[in-house]
């Protein structure tokens, strides 16, 4: 969903986060990488809770990319187990806190139990009207655009969409994020300065913050500071101030 540009001084309505640095955080402490992923999962709850005071309506977090399957079998299996436990543990709390949960990404590669839990979480929270939490799981920006283009092409082939009617407003209706506004602010933790195939189409006019903090150390206070800094930016969307 492409929303009307939001004035920067209103603060970011939608913040997307690339939660990087869990493995390094654990290694620095002499612990296995999965120890860092568990610490990072606990940090998510605090940032979700901080959204309300920061007036952030939408939070999208990058939990597992289409490229992350290249990691060791042990780490991937551990992450999948963590996701299952996280959903089972947190969903009742999210319902109580009025947080709506959605998942984006290519689901078929995920195991049946995890997909079932994802579906249940979305059903359980679909009436919630507070913070909108979107979890990108087996997600890749290029993969999303390819899947969206395939669905668009099928509609052209069956005659429900005419080629001459396709504009830059058409494709977003086929993206996983079609019910979400585009992100205003994208944050990446751990000191890396790249976007790693995350929300490629949607972030065309997003502001970016690359911070050195490893994700398990990323506090609500730092989140609030970055949201406040966004409000001081001059966003012209290609125009020139009169």
């Amino acid at each position: 969903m492409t929303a009307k540009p939001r004035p920067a001084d209103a603060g970011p309505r939608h913040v997307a986060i690339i939660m990087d640095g869990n493995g390094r955080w654990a290694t620095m402490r002499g612990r296995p990488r999965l120890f860092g992923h568990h610490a990072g999962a606990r940090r998510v709850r605090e940032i979700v809770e901080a959204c309300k005071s920061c007036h952030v309506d939408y939070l999208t977090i990058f939990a597992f990319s289409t490229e992350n399957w290249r990691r060791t079998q042990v780490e991937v299996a551990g992450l999948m187990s963590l996701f299952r436990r996280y959903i089972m543990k947190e969903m009742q709390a999210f319902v109580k806190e009025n947080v709506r949960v959605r998942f984006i990404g290519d689901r078929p590669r995920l195991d049946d139990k995890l997909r079932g839990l994802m579906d249940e979480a979305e059903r359980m929270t679909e009436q919630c009207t507070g913070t909108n939490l979107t979890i990108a799981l087996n997600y890749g920006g290029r993969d999303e655009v390819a899947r969206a283009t395939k669905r668009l092409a099928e509609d052209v082939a069956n005659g429900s969409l005419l080629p001459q009617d396709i504009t830059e407003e058409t494709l977003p209706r086929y993206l996983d994020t079609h019910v979400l506004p585009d992100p205003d602010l994208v944050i990446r933790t751990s000191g890396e300065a790249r976007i790693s195939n995350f929300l490629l189409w949607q972030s065309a006019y997003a502001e970016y913050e690359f911070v050195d903090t490893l994700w398990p150390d990323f506090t609500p206070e730092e989140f609030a500071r970055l949201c406040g800094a966004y409000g001081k930016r001059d966003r012209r969307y290609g125009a020139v101030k009169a």
Side-chain angles (χ1 to χ4, degrees):
M1 179 173 70
T2 303
K4 181 179 179 181
R6 181 178 174 87
D9 58 8
R13 183 186 185 203
H14 182 179
V15 178
I17 303 179
I18 302 172
M19 307 180 297
D20 196 20
N22 292 331
R24 273 171 283 167
W25 185 88
T27 300
M28 289 167 60
R29 287 157 177 78
R31 303 296 298 272
R33 289 176 58 84
L34 282 172
F35 179 76
H37 293 306
H38 282 272
R42 291 192 294 272
R43 183 62 70 185
V44 170
R45 165 71 81 84
E46 296 183 15
I47 301 304
V48 172
E49 291 174 350
C51 285
K52 186 174 182 180
S53 60
C54 292
H55 307 290
V56 172
D57 298 327
Y58 295 84
L59 176 68
T60 299
I61 58 174
F62 203 3
F64 189 86
S65 76
T66 50
E67 292 77 26
N68 286 156
W69 295 104
R70 301 171 187 168
R71 297 185 178 185
T72 67
Q73 287 187 331
V74 171
E75 184 169 354
V76 170
L79 283 167
M80 294 302 144
S81 177
L82 172 61
F83 297 146
R84 290 191 293 268
R85 291 201 301 273
Y86 180 84
I87 294 172
M88 288 187 289
K89 178 183 177 183
E90 297 290 348
M91 285 312 110
Q92 291 291 348
F94 283 146
V95 171
K96 184 178 179 180
E97 295 164 9
N98 200 28
V99 174
R100 180 161 188 178
V101 177
R102 297 180 177 89
F103 294 89
I104 58 173
D106 189 13
R107 300 194 189 192
R109 189 170 181 181
L110 302 173
D111 65 72
D112 291 344
K113 183 176 181 180
L114 178 54
R115 291 203 307 270
L117 288 169
M118 292 161 65
D119 292 341
E120 183 180 359
E122 290 178 330
R123 287 194 298 269
M124 285 175 60
T125 64
E126 64 183 354
Q127 301 303 319
C128 295
T129 58
T131 303
N132 290 266
L133 172 63
T134 301
I135 302 173
L137 196 52
N138 194 30
Y139 174 87
R142 289 180 174 180
D143 175 74
E144 178 190 27
V145 171
R147 289 185 286 106
T149 303
K150 181 179 178 180
R151 290 192 291 270
L152 186 152
E154 289 170 348
D155 281 350
V156 170
N158 65 33
S160 60
L161 179 67
L162 297 176
Q164 59 266 33
D165 292 335
I166 298 173
T167 69
E168 67 179 70
E169 300 299 323
T170 306
L171 185 64
R173 299 200 296 267
Y174 293 82
L175 295 173
D176 297 351
T177 56
H178 64 277
V179 298
L180 305 175
D182 288 342
D184 302 296
L185 173 64
V186 179
I187 299 169
R188 181 174 186 142
T189 60
S190 88
E192 302 291 350
R194 56 180 180 271
I195 59 176
S196 292
N197 199 20
F198 184 48
L199 300 178
L200 298 180
W201 179 281
Q202 300 89 334
S203 298
Y205 276 98
E207 298 288 328
Y208 279 83
E209 289 279 5
F210 299 102
V211 297
D212 291 334
T213 311
L214 301 177
W215 174 248
D217 292 328
F218 186 78
T219 63
E221 291 74 21
E222 186 164 11
F223 179 72
R225 179 182 65 78
L226 294 174
C227 289
Y230 170 91
K232 298 179 176 64
R233 296 196 179 198
D234 181 16
R235 289 169 61 78
R236 298 186 298 274
Y237 296 93
V240 177
K241 278 192 173 182

